[in-house]
């Protein structure tokens, strides 16, 4: 296996996921991309390779624990030990509480929260051999949940994810793994304060910082 470091980016779309993949590739990481949409994955992998990076794509439904474990097992088999895992899976689906279907709510929880825990546990044994970083995309709704009336499921996901990371970080630290969130306290949009490339830089900084922080709040500054 090559000694070039590997970053797994789970939940790769055209915004934050793609930007994070490009940012880590720019600093010499191979990137393994996971998402359900194979055509989108191919396009983002091409962006990385056209810029001189190395990317591989793995299609999986990140709300399905079996598929998550399968995709990560395939990445470990194909590429070896990861140095970084970024969990960026979530969905913005507006629905007031009384219209929120239980099955839809369950899927959002799997996609953004319990699926993250499954992925973290799947990479930890291999990652702990040489240390590493696990970063989850947090949301400002976890800091101000009273603004989440239009998206109560997503508010629950981001609040739960923040709590999980804070609670689990000491256990991961004992394995030599930095576990943290990059909490995006604003609306992601190209060209503005919350441009995906600016957010990706916050992910890189959270990984590269000499001192581990359990949460980085990106406020667009």
């Amino acid at each position: 296996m090559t000694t070039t470091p590997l970053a797994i980016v789970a939940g790769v779309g055209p915004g934050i996921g793609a930007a994070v993949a490009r940012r880590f590739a720019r600093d010499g990481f191979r990137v393994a991309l996971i998402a359900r949409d194979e055509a989108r994955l191919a396009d983002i992998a091409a962006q990385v390779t056209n810029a001189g990076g190395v990317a591989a794509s793995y299609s999986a439904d990140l709300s399905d624990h079996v598929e998550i474990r399968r995709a990560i097992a395939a990445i470990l088999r194909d590429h070896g030990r990861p140095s970084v895992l970024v969990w960026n899976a979530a969905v913005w689906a507006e629905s007031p509480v009384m219209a929120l279907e239980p099955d839809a709510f369950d899927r959002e929880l799997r996609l953004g929260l319990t699926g993250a825990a499954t992925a973290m546990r799947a990479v930890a044994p291999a990652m702990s051999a040489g240390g590493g970083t696990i970063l989850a995309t947090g949301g400002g709704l976890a800091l101000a949940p009273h603004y989440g009336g239009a998206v109560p499921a997503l508010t629950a996901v981001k609040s739960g994810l923040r709590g999980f990371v804070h609670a689990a970080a000491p256990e991961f630290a004992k394995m030599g793994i930095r576990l943290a969130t990059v909490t995006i306290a604003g609306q992601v949009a190209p060209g503005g304060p919350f441009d995906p490339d600016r957010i990706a830089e916050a992910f890189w900084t959270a990984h590269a910082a000499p001192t581990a922080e359990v949460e980085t709040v990106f406020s667009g500054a």
Side-chain angles (χ1 to χ4, degrees), residues 30-115:
R30 295 168 292 143
V31 292
L33 313 177
I34 310 175
R36 187 168 59 175
D37 189 325
E38 293 185 22
R40 178 179 288 173
L41 277 174
D43 180 63
I44 294 168
Q47 293 176 26
V48 173
T49 55
N50 289 342
V54 177
S57 300
Y58 294 82
S59 178
D61 180 349
L62 293 174
S63 69
D64 185 317
H65 299 287
V66 172
E67 291 202 21
I68 292 167
R69 287 189 288 264
R70 176 187 55 75
I72 289 176
I75 291 168
L76 299 181
R77 180 194 66 228
D78 294 346
H79 303 285
R81 189 187 74 83
S83 297
V84 174
L85 167 67
V86 175
W87 184 269
N88 183 57
V91 62
W92 181 284
E94 294 191 10
S95 175
V97 171
M98 297 304 291
L100 183 59
E101 293 293 337
D103 287 347
F105 193 6
D106 284 345
R107 183 180 185 278
E108 288 198 46
L109 288 169
R110 293 194 307 272
L111 183 65
L113 176 55
T114 58

Side-chain angles (χ1 to χ4, degrees), residues 9-26 31 33-35 40-41 43-49 51 55 86 88 137 196-197 199-201 203:
V9 185
V12 179
I16 294 171
V20 168
R22 293 192 302 265
R23 178 62 186 87
F24 276 83
R26 195 174 83 217
V31 292
L33 313 177
I34 310 175
R40 178 179 288 173
L41 277 174
D43 180 63
I44 294 168
Q47 293 176 26
V48 173
T49 55
V86 175
N88 183 57
T137 303
D197 287 331
I199 294 168
E201 194 63 39
F203 276 86

